[in-house]
Amino acid sequence: MSCRGDSDEDSSRKRRVSYVYSPEYIETCDTLSKVPNRASMVHSLIEAYGLLKHMSVVKPEAATIEEMAKFHTDSYLEHLHKISQDGDNDDPQSVDYGLGYDCPVVEGIFDYAAAVGGATLTAAQSLLDQKSEVAINWAGGWHHAKKDEASGFCYVNDAVLGILRLREKYERVLYVDVDLHHGDGVEDAFSFTSKVMTVSLHKFSPGFFPGTGDLCDTGLGKGRWYAVNVPLEDGIKDDRYYQVFTSVMQEVRAQFNPEAMVMQLGADTMAGDPMCSFNMTPVGVGKCLQYVLQWQLPTLLLGGGGYNLANTARCWTYLTAAVLGKTLSSEIPDHEFFTEYGPDYSLEISPSCRPDRNDAKHLDQVISTIKGVCVVCVMHRCLCVNRCVSSC
Ligand SMILES: [Zn+2]
């Protein structure tokens, strides 16, 4: 199976890549109850394919409270710290902070949050220090957390922390989110600024979490037109997704001219994910990744959702190889988690036969609306608000 897609082999061969890893970090991330041992499975497969020797492996530092407080409120962090000490799931205040149902409190949850946030900061710092052009934290990408609220399995918004760190050097930072779910926490964090453009492609359907991310949501105040949302229906496959992605990203780049980029690559879009929504394979997501990597910007890559653990490991291993310009054998190598990849023990993921619910005409309208909003409104600011909003 070729991992290079349409990439220029020479540019990917020269690419310097940082990969945040330490045994302690993986062990901490493994404790996340929604994706138990996923961090280990992903790392083990990347290691088994021999990819570590092509990257600079960087040991992550845990984030300090001050670092997390660049986005999160002191009261939220203090509460998370307090309940983390005894794993108290019944503290009445927890409900106000989104802790409980979707984001259970377990002993050590604060240390987990600090580890994930710190690993993304370590990766971002390696870009700032020009030690690498691409930095990877597959155990990061928790895009739903708000400044004072845990949400959707996310306790700390490491993506926001990473963007804020990149902003210390780069004037305009682009955030691109291809998780199945809307990247609401990141969009909210930057909805009032024109310095960070957020782009999210996601399933948008009544009752589907988090319920935000409609085409008309384009940012607020000075940040108006700097949030781009691409709502999609179930069943979308590689080719059509790539077509939508490139149409939108071409426009985004032309209008925003980013200096650095953060991409969240949640793997819950994969065929075979328990979310049972999109019908993607690593090849399709890999082509999207190659499309933005050819811009040759400092790029931070993060994980996110992905609830079929073996498929998530397949996807992120494939993407790591794509970044490095390496071609992998489709036979999963023998390693600690080998038995998880049965019955075919293949790196490939086959799309299912579920129908694509995305109407071609509707997708064309989505693309042309986004192009219309970008061209007309970003060029002329708010003079044409009514025209654009009515076109949504
Ligand atoms: Zn997701």
Side-chain angles (χ1 to χ4, degrees), residues 203-220:
K203 172 171 171 171
F204 185 72
S205 177
F208 188 73
F209 183 85
T212 48
D214 202 353
L215 187 60
C216 301
D217 299 329
T218 53
L220 300 160

Side-chain angles (χ1 to χ4, degrees), residues 292-307:
V292 293
L293 286 179
Q294 52 149 353
W295 299 346
Q296 301 192 339
L297 300 173
T299 301
L300 172 57
L301 302 181
L302 304 173
Y307 306 100

Side-chain angles (χ1 to χ4, degrees), residues 147-169:
K147 64 180 181 179
D148 55 0
E149 196 183 339
S151 173
F153 324 146
C154 308
Y155 300 86
V156 64
N157 200 317
D158 62 291
V160 170
L161 298 181
I163 293 167
L164 291 173
R165 177 63 62 87
L166 291 175
R167 278 275 299 124
E168 290 175 12
K169 179 170 176 184

Side-chain angles (χ1 to χ4, degrees), residues 8 72 267:
D8 171 353
H72 294 287

Side-chain angles (χ1 to χ4, degrees), residues 177-202:
D177 188 317
V178 298
D179 192 278
L180 177 68
H181 301 90
H182 176 225
D184 58 340
V186 186
E187 182 182 301
D188 282 4
F190 300 108
S191 57
F192 284 95
T193 178
S194 58
K195 304 293 187 185
V196 177
M197 182 176 264
T198 59
V199 181
S200 179
L201 292 84
H202 47 263

